[in-house]
Amino acid sequence: MTMTFNQFLCALRARYLVVVLVFLGMVAIAGVVSVLMPSKYTASTSLVLDGRTADPILGSVLPSQLMPGYLATQIDIIASDRVAQRVVALTQLDQVPVLRDQWQEATGGNGDIRTWIGTILKQQLEVLPSRDSSVLKLSFSGNDPNFAAAVANAYARAYIETTLELKVEPARQFAQWFNDRTKSLREDLELAQRKLSEYEQEHGIIAGDGRFDIENARLADLSSQLVQVQGQRADSRSRHSQVGSAESLPEVMSNPFIADLKAQVARLEAQRTQMQGRFGVNHPEVARVDAEIGSLKQRILTETQRVATSLGTTTRISAAREAEVAEALEIQKARVLEMKAHRDQVAVLRRDVENAQRAYDLVTQRLAQTSLESQSQQTNVVVLTPAVAPGAPSSPRLTLNLIAGCVLGLLLGVASALVFEMIDRRVRGKDDLLQLKNVPMLGVVPAAPGRRGGRFFSRSATA
């Protein structure tokens, strides 16, 4: 059966005592609880996490888009067991007899007391990031204001030391690894240098010498000489093949002695022709001139044969020279190829040395860098505002609790009145009569003057 708003108001007015009693009861309970609850004090400290500052060693800067994730990570670190146990060590809470007795009673002496106390401390810790900034607010609540401030400051110190350890410990491990790696790389570099030195000493190779260029130039010169000698040999062989017509050889035609003999023959032949016309063919003078001409022609023939013979000698000399130059060229080729092979092997060994040197330099550089990081005592966390002992308790808050008691009491009072009304439903107006079946409403009695809630019947419609 539904209830209208007028019925709701009528029920509240009829059962206002229930509402008032429940309301007063809840307010009283809130006041008593606030008075009886132990006072808690909350101390807060602020930390600045400057993730955008360049690393003094690496020079790197944290991108701005990674800052939310960075702050969330730092909040998780603050709330971690590692930081809590360090707080216990800093405040020496594990040495407090009362806490040791409570730990013995709760765990029977099993486990680590620092872990147990740290778990309790984390329950009273609250870490909140500031909006649009890199500031974290760290709050700790306790029964004693000085204790709350001490623990809050210990949390800030433990967090700073932990972040420094998280930064330094990996650097120390890397530094040790790089140090071990440096030793092996140094041995590799020394081995590569020793191989290169031994190979150069074995084959008499001097770094940076120009012998290879000299040998290449000598090879080119021998090649030119061979071509030249081969040309001379071909020319002399061609001329030697013309021995049958030796008089047409250039050497014969250009020979001054033969040319002089031919000139003498021509002069004597001209003289003979004159003498034959004067004295006749059988004259002794003509015979003498003929004898001289025959002697000169014989000398010309002898000289021509000598020149032709010298051409054969030249051909043989050219052939011998060609063979000698060809042999020298082959020897020079073998020498150049050998030097090239040595040069290529030296290049390979030098490349091995360069690669070993590069790897050694890289690891040495990383070793120096990680060594600096492992010795770093700088962190990007700074305490902005240290915690101080609060002057007033943070809980219980009497005013807030009373307001909450009033609101809750009012709601519970109204709910209680409705529950009683639903259990014992009564007719409190015409709306209640209209909901009754087969019951006619004859009229409504208005309230009497001066009487609250009273009504007089007046004529109304009949059902």
Side-chain angles (χ1 to χ4, degrees):
M1 189 174 185
T2 60
M3 180 180 293
T4 64
F5 184 69
N6 289 330
Q7 291 174 327
F8 173 71
L9 294 179
C10 292
L12 290 182
R13 184 173 61 181
R15 299 184 184 276
Y16 74 94
L17 288 178
V18 175
V19 176
V20 171
L21 290 176
V22 173
F23 175 80
L24 294 177
M26 289 304 301
V27 172
I29 291 174
V32 172
V33 170
S34 299
V35 173
L36 296 179
M37 283 181 62
S39 298
K40 282 192 175 182
Y41 297 86
T42 301
S44 300
T45 179
S46 298
L47 304 173
V48 178
L49 282 72
D50 193 1
R52 292 172 294 180
T53 302
D55 192 288
I57 298 175
L58 300 178
S60 59
V61 180
L62 183 68
S64 58
Q65 60 268 23
L66 299 181
M67 281 301 297
Y70 175 74
L71 291 178
T73 302
Q74 303 309 306
I75 292 175
D76 292 339
I77 292 176
I78 295 175
S80 64
D81 293 336
R82 181 172 180 173
V83 175
Q85 293 174 18
R86 185 179 289 271
V87 171
V88 175
L90 291 175
T91 55
Q92 297 182 352
L93 292 177
D94 55 331
Q95 305 298 326
V96 177
V98 175
L99 292 177
R100 295 192 68 86
D101 295 340
Q102 294 178 357
W103 170 66
Q104 288 285 347
E105 182 179 354
T107 64
N110 298 322
D112 185 12
I113 185 173
R114 291 186 178 182
T115 304
W116 184 78
I117 297 175
T119 303
I120 298 176
L121 294 180
K122 289 193 299 181
Q123 297 174 357
Q124 306 299 324
L125 177 69
E126 184 181 16
V127 184
L128 296 175
S130 297
R131 188 173 183 180
D132 299 330
S133 68
S134 301
V135 177
L136 293 180
K137 183 179 180 182
L138 192 153
S139 301
F140 183 82
S141 300
N143 297 330
D144 182 79
N146 294 322
F147 174 75
V151 174
N153 290 325
Y155 254 106
R157 178 182 173 185
Y159 165 64
I160 293 175
E161 293 178 355
T162 302
T163 54
L164 186 59
E165 285 183 358
L166 293 177
K167 178 181 179 182
V168 169
E169 285 180 0
R172 288 176 180 172
Q173 296 176 0
F174 278 117
Q176 182 62 37
W177 185 84
F178 281 122
N179 187 30
D180 298 338
R181 189 65 181 147
T182 300
K183 296 178 181 178
S184 62
L185 290 176
R186 185 187 298 114
E187 294 175 356
D188 295 342
L189 176 59
E190 293 175 353
L191 178 60
Q193 290 176 339
R194 184 165 58 253
K195 287 183 178 179
L196 175 60
S197 178
E198 291 176 353
Y199 190 84
E200 289 178 341
Q201 292 178 4
E202 180 181 356
H203 297 89
I205 299 174
I206 302 176
D209 63 354
R211 288 195 303 165
F212 186 74
D213 296 334
I214 295 174
E215 296 297 336
N216 273 332
R218 185 176 298 172
L219 178 62
D221 183 59
L222 288 174
S223 299
S224 300
Q225 291 181 23
L226 180 61
V227 172
Q228 183 179 1
V229 171
Q230 287 176 344
Q232 291 176 356
R233 180 190 176 190
D235 182 63
S236 62
R237 184 168 52 192
S238 175
R239 286 179 293 174
H240 182 67
S241 63
Q242 301 176 3
V243 173
S245 56
E247 293 181 356
S248 61
L249 292 175
E251 287 79 0
V252 175
M253 297 179 64
S254 62
N255 192 306
F257 182 69
I258 295 175
D260 183 61
L261 291 176
K262 287 181 178 182
Q264 292 181 20
V265 169
R267 189 179 71 253
L268 288 175
E269 285 180 348
Q271 185 180 356
R272 184 186 64 177
T273 302
Q274 292 178 1
M275 291 179 70
Q276 284 180 352
R278 186 188 309 173
F279 301 112
V281 179
N282 297 320
H283 193 275
E285 289 294 330
V286 174
R288 182 182 61 82
V289 171
D290 288 336
E292 290 182 2
I293 291 173
S295 177
L296 290 174
K297 287 183 176 181
Q298 185 63 36
R299 291 178 63 185
I300 290 173
L301 180 60
T302 303
E303 190 64 27
T304 301
Q305 291 297 328
R306 186 184 64 81
V307 172
T309 302
S310 66
L311 287 176
T313 303
T314 302
T315 301
R316 290 192 298 271
I317 293 174
S318 298
R321 177 62 179 165
E322 180 183 358
E324 180 183 352
V325 174
E327 182 181 1
L329 180 63
E330 292 300 325
I331 295 174
Q332 187 65 23
K333 282 183 180 179
R335 183 179 301 172
V336 170
L337 291 176
E338 182 182 2
M339 291 189 66
K340 188 176 184 303
H342 292 331
R343 188 176 184 180
D344 293 340
Q345 185 63 28
V346 168
V348 171
L349 295 176
R350 286 179 180 173
R351 194 176 300 112
D352 293 341
V353 173
E354 291 174 358
N355 293 335
Q357 183 69 50
R358 190 180 299 109
Y360 177 73
D361 293 341
L362 180 61
V363 173
T364 302
Q365 181 181 1
R366 289 290 295 145
L367 174 60
Q369 179 179 321
T370 52
S371 297
L372 289 176
E373 293 178 6
S374 64
Q375 299 173 7
S376 175
Q377 298 297 324
Q378 302 297 325
T379 180
N380 61 336
V381 182
V382 180
V383 177
L384 179 63
T385 304
V388 295
S394 58
S395 66
R397 297 180 180 179
L398 180 60
T399 303
L400 182 61
N401 291 341
L402 289 177
I403 294 174
C406 291
V407 174
L408 184 60
L410 182 61
L411 294 176
L412 289 178
V414 172
S416 299
L418 292 177
V419 170
F420 282 118
E421 183 66 21
M422 296 301 294
I423 294 175
D424 185 13
R425 190 69 182 272
R426 298 182 181 185
V427 177
R428 301 189 185 282
K430 64 179 182 179
D431 294 335
D432 295 331
L433 292 175
L434 291 175
Q435 292 182 354
L436 297 176
K437 296 180 179 180
N438 302 323
V439 177
M441 185 177 65
L442 300 178
V444 177
V445 179
R451 184 176 179 180
R452 186 176 182 181
R455 291 183 180 273
F456 291 98
F457 285 103
S458 62
R459 188 172 180 80
S460 179
T462 60

